[in-house]
Amino acid sequence: MARVDSVLLTVAALCFTAATAQQNLPVNQQCLGCICEAISSCDTSDGCSGNVCGPFRITWAYWADAGKPTVNNESPEAASAYANCARDTYCSALAVQGYMNKFQQDCNGDGKIDCDDFVTIHKLGGYGCKGGVITGIYQQRYQQCKALVGGI
């Protein structure tokens, strides 16, 4: 549990910094932390594996749909821009925000857009979340994080 707390504090600090630069971020800091925890245990040491990179396990297409944020004003067209962003906690958190801003929707039909929807969108994609169900370790980690932080 202490690990989740430290992950959430790290992501919260990053989100607070991002929020000062961009006011209309759809995903709150607790939810962002739980997405990170669910998808990778928020492993910031992992680079790229197959077609996914970083603590949020972002694909190139996800990053592109998110608006191609970059680290240190790198050109989005640079060959390394995607991997550099996806591996960087701050930049990848901004990519998640951009993706959710583009694809936010009520996936589970409960009449509201909340973290349950964002977690589903992150795992199943912006076009695959309607009626989709997340399962396995991803769902388990998300539910544990959600119970721990509450209010998401």
Side-chain angles (χ1 to χ4, degrees):
M1 287 202 197
R3 176 166 165 37
V4 173
D5 288 340
S6 67
V7 167
L8 293 175
L9 287 174
T10 300
V11 173
L14 294 171
C15 292
F16 178 75
T17 304
T20 60
Q22 295 177 321
Q23 292 300 315
N24 296 321
L25 301 176
V27 184
N28 70 36
Q29 49 208 6
Q30 294 89 352
C31 181
L32 195 59
C34 285
I35 290 170
C36 188
E37 185 64 28
I39 200 74
S40 75
S41 295
C42 225
D43 183 359
T44 58
S45 66
D46 189 56
C48 296
S49 177
N51 67 340
V52 298
C53 292
F56 288 97
R57 301 297 189 260
I58 295 173
T59 64
W60 185 93
Y62 186 110
W63 173 76
D65 282 338
K68 296 183 177 180
T70 62
V71 176
N72 296 327
N73 296 317
E74 181 177 22
S75 168
E77 305 312 314
S80 60
Y82 150 67
N84 287 343
C85 178
R87 290 187 307 243
D88 180 84
T89 306
Y90 176 81
C91 190
S92 60
L94 286 179
V96 172
Q97 294 286 7
Y99 192 86
M100 297 306 163
N101 194 47
K102 181 175 182 175
F103 290 107
Q104 61 184 311
Q105 59 191 293
D106 180 13
C107 300
N108 58 10
D110 66 357
K112 60 187 177 198
I113 301 172
D114 59 15
C115 194
D116 292 344
D117 300 303
F118 293 133
V119 166
T120 304
I121 293 165
H122 189 73
K123 182 70 171 172
L124 301 179
Y127 299 108
C129 85
K130 289 282 188 189
V133 177
I134 57 172
T135 60
I137 191 70
Y138 183 74
Q139 173 68 3
Q140 189 177 33
R141 285 182 189 152
Y142 170 62
Q143 290 301 330
Q144 288 171 343
C145 185
K146 182 179 175 182
L148 181 66
V149 301
I152 59 174

